[in-house]
Amino acid sequence: RPELSNLVRQLADEDAIEPRDAFQGAVYFLAGALEREGFVLFRNGGLPLIERHSEHLRQELLLRLGPHSVPGAVVPIALHIHVSHSGMREIRERYWPALGHVPTSIAGGNIGLLQTPPTNDIWNVAGERALSELRSHLESHLLPWLELLQNPRALRRALWEEGVPLLDQATATELLLYEFGRGEARAYVEEVLLSDENCRGRFERIYHGLTGVKALCYRPGEPLRNVAVIARAHRMMGRL
């Protein structure tokens, strides 16, 4: 948490709106802007949460007020998106280690990670101009990304071409498996993930090393192994 310089603190306006009130104003502004897209404002343990549900997806936009606010000059906020998919439970139950608590999360992170190049963004909402820019950012990056997740065929094309921000290879394999079956998931693994010979060699060693393992287990932070676990659990690869 970097300390603000004295120069920034000198910009403080004693008559300006309090940072907490400015933050709440930003929350209501964004909630209103997203209302026409089907989002609703809730409170999540005191933190504002703008949420939308579709057939399988739950989309949550969480807003956080940062430290070191200066009235009238600096009111830093961060926006984090989290998406879960109800269909992941039936896909993951074959290999998730904690029986009875299979997560449905598929993607999450700072909304700045959706742009090119990806960044972790902090927005200063001390002025009205920043709110307008933030709304434009959501319309240009967040909403198209969410629409992509809601359209399986468009999502499949994107995964085969440039990939999808915040969606790792294991989760992409799970989504293809759920939406299109083993054939499509296998084609994605073989033609996209394993196009590099070194990567293919590593995958095959991991995959064959899982032979005879009774309790297949997903391990966060090991994407290639997780793809192999998914493939083994759902008998995707045939003879490899």
Side-chain angles (χ1 to χ4, degrees), residues 2-23 65-77 123-127:
E3 293 289 342
L4 296 178
S5 67
N6 290 331
L7 175 62
V8 174
R9 294 189 180 280
Q10 290 171 9
L11 297 175
D13 182 356
E14 294 181 358
D15 298 324
I17 299 174
E18 284 297 314
R20 177 65 60 175
D21 294 332
F23 172 64
L65 174 63
H68 307 310
S69 295
V70 177
V74 179
V75 181
I77 71 170
W123 293 82
N124 178 13
V125 295

Side-chain angles (χ1 to χ4, degrees), residues 1 21 23 55 83 118 164-165 177 184 195 200 208 225-226:
R1 298 184 178 185
D21 294 332
F23 172 64
E55 182 180 1
V83 182
V164 178
L177 186 60
E184 186 69 28
S195 58
R200 173 175 287 274
H208 290 302
R225 183 186 183 281
N226 291 336

